[in-house]
Amino acid sequence: MANRAYNFNAGPAALPLEVLEKAQKQFVEFENSGMSLMEMSHRGAIYEKVHYEAEALLRELLGIPTGYKVLFIQGGASTQFAMIPMNLLRSGKTAAFVATGSWATKAIQEAKLFGEVSIAASSEADKYNRIPSIGELKYDSDAAYLHLTSNETIEGTQWSEFPDTGAVALIGDMSSDILCRPIDVSKFGLIYAGAQKNLGPSGVTIVIIREDLIAEPTAPVPTMLRYTTHAKADSLYNTPPTFAIYMMNEVLKWVKENGGAAGMEARNREKAKLIYDTIDGSNGFYRGFAQAESRSLMNVTFRLGNEELEKKFAKESEEQGFVGLKGHRSVGGLRASIYNAVPLESVRALVSFMKDFQSHNA
């Protein structure tokens, strides 16, 4: 489609055009049922096929080992900030966190409402422009869990490798980089991710949880906020976000058709390299925010010489069909979010614009 925007939104984010076009065709009538998927019961065989197919594809593409449950939960990753300590932070235990930026900070603040929290490592002194090294991590051997945010969308930093935490359950917020590359799920006790960046539209959150962590909370927790509730009912205890799960299923099919997690990584590294090379080769006109070894494959954050120039960049880019290049309001600057579904052609167009903008404003 010639009139598609160059979509660099941080979330909700770009979806594969092929998926959108297929959904458009199936929206009014799904599989000769005489109705839309949005109109049918989530207890019926047609929807259940979609539901379980999405789970199976997620297991396949992430290589999820046996002994883990895959849950589809509403409320976004922000609900998981509370749900995790409500279920896993027992009395007398401490939850350890790695403070890497805005989203890790939100998770820390929420956990403090339910129990003791410690900071295993922090990059706050560096304005969160880097990911702490594994060697920097300090936490109790009997901690309830160690929580990290695998990719900080606002600061544009990403973990390149994950720690082995032994008996301490490792928890990963992968909302903004799940399936951008292969990962070893067995290192984690729990992984969670809002769908609206790499998996589909907003409305559903993925929780991958090791079965030994699924237990009734020791303190009173509302029924809908217990992992046991969703695990026992295969995420069908109440009406799930059926359209979001359908769309996620189609996105997962697209990922599989395009080489799986390894194919996504090759695609994402090529896109990221184009932009980072442009930044690094600009003789200081563009300045990357994240330290080189912590740069994200998903969110490229950068600055110009002053805010007025950044505003001009944002305005002129919008006029040329680019969407979402303003940095987050809390930090300013500029940001290109290049999730799985962002086409290489969009990134090439952005690089061309960046070079042209520099030539007229340096």
Side-chain angles (χ1 to χ4, degrees):
M1 293 175 63
N3 61 341
R4 292 279 291 170
Y6 298 123
N7 186 353
F8 294 95
N9 275 324
L15 290 165
L17 179 59
E18 302 97 306
V19 170
L20 292 171
E21 290 174 335
K22 183 177 180 180
Q24 182 182 44
K25 292 177 181 177
Q26 295 184 331
F27 190 84
V28 174
E29 183 175 11
F30 186 73
E31 293 193 355
N32 300 313
S33 64
M35 55 184 161
S36 169
L37 185 76
M38 267 60 65
E39 299 175 284
M40 62 181 61
S41 170
H42 63 290
R43 306 290 182 192
I46 294 177
Y47 171 72
E48 283 195 354
K49 179 184 176 184
V50 172
H51 188 93
Y52 290 115
E53 185 177 53
E55 179 188 340
L57 277 170
L58 199 63
R59 287 184 178 277
E60 177 186 349
L61 292 168
L62 283 172
I64 300 172
T66 56
Y68 285 78
K69 292 287 285 186
V70 175
L71 310 178
F72 302 147
I73 301 178
Q74 299 177 61
S78 294
T79 295
Q80 293 306 306
F81 294 164
M83 198 166 169
I84 289 165
M86 290 170 83
N87 284 267
L88 303 184
L89 183 50
R90 310 286 180 170
S91 177
K93 293 284 188 177
T94 299
F97 285 80
V98 187
T100 49
S102 302
W103 291 110
T105 299
K106 289 178 184 293
I108 291 166
Q109 291 170 342
E110 204 70 13
K112 286 179 177 179
L113 298 174
F114 302 99
E116 294 297 319
V117 168
S118 67
I119 304 302
S122 175
S123 57
E124 183 178 10
D126 298 304
K127 297 181 179 179
Y128 297 124
N129 72 349
R130 68 179 185 91
I131 297 294
S133 67
I134 290 176
E136 292 177 67
L137 302 180
K138 307 294 181 187
Y139 54 93
D140 292 338
S141 59
D142 66 344
Y145 54 83
L146 174 67
H147 178 287
L148 60 81
T149 305
S150 61
N151 184 80
E152 289 281 3
T153 61
I154 293 175
E155 290 80 13
T157 59
Q158 184 179 32
W159 289 75
S160 59
E161 59 177 333
F162 300 113
D164 291 310
T165 55
V168 176
L170 180 61
I171 293 180
D173 176 1
M174 296 190 179
S175 294
S176 55
D177 68 347
I178 193 166
L179 267 180
C180 81
R181 57 186 175 178
I183 59 167
D184 182 358
V185 173
S186 68
K187 281 191 169 186
F188 293 83
L190 186 152
I191 292 169
Y192 65 100
Q196 66 271 18
K197 295 177 171 66
N198 253 5
L199 295 178
S202 59
V204 62
T205 299
I206 307 306
V207 174
I208 302 164
I209 183 170
R210 210 171 60 215
E211 290 178 0
D212 64 285
L213 296 177
I214 303 172
E216 292 295 341
T218 54
V221 173
T223 301
M224 284 299 294
L225 296 177
R226 299 178 204 158
Y227 291 125
T228 52
T229 300
H230 301 283
K232 288 175 183 176
D234 287 339
S235 305
L236 291 164
Y237 175 81
N238 69 323
T239 306
T242 56
F243 181 69
I245 292 170
Y246 156 76
M247 286 293 290
M248 180 180 67
N249 188 39
E250 295 302 324
V251 171
L252 292 172
K253 290 177 186 176
W254 175 85
V255 170
K256 184 176 180 178
E257 291 166 1
N258 284 275
M264 292 298 103
E265 180 176 26
R267 172 190 180 103
N268 291 326
R269 290 197 181 280
E270 182 179 6
K271 292 186 295 185
K273 186 176 187 301
L274 283 171
I275 304 177
Y276 286 125
D277 283 353
T278 301
I279 291 169
D280 294 341
S282 69
N283 294 316
F285 184 79
Y286 297 108
R287 293 176 286 106
F289 175 76
Q291 292 187 21
E293 67 277 8
S294 296
R295 283 174 164 175
S296 170
L297 292 176
M298 298 282 93
N299 309 97
V300 180
T301 50
F302 57 100
R303 303 301 301 256
L304 294 176
N306 55 68
E307 290 187 11
E308 288 306 311
L309 201 55
E310 290 170 351
K311 289 178 181 178
K312 184 178 182 183
F313 181 100
K315 181 175 183 295
E316 292 186 8
S317 66
E318 288 174 3
E319 291 170 351
Q320 294 196 31
F322 295 90
V323 177
L325 290 173
K326 285 183 181 179
H328 192 272
R329 61 186 179 277
S330 64
V331 297
L334 298 156
R335 170 178 58 177
S337 295
I338 50 174
Y339 302 119
N340 287 353
V342 174
L344 179 61
E345 293 73 21
S346 292
V347 174
R348 286 175 174 157
L350 173 60
V351 165
S352 177
F353 172 80
M354 290 173 69
K355 291 177 177 178
D356 184 66
F357 186 84
Q358 180 179 354
S359 70
H360 288 93
N361 293 277

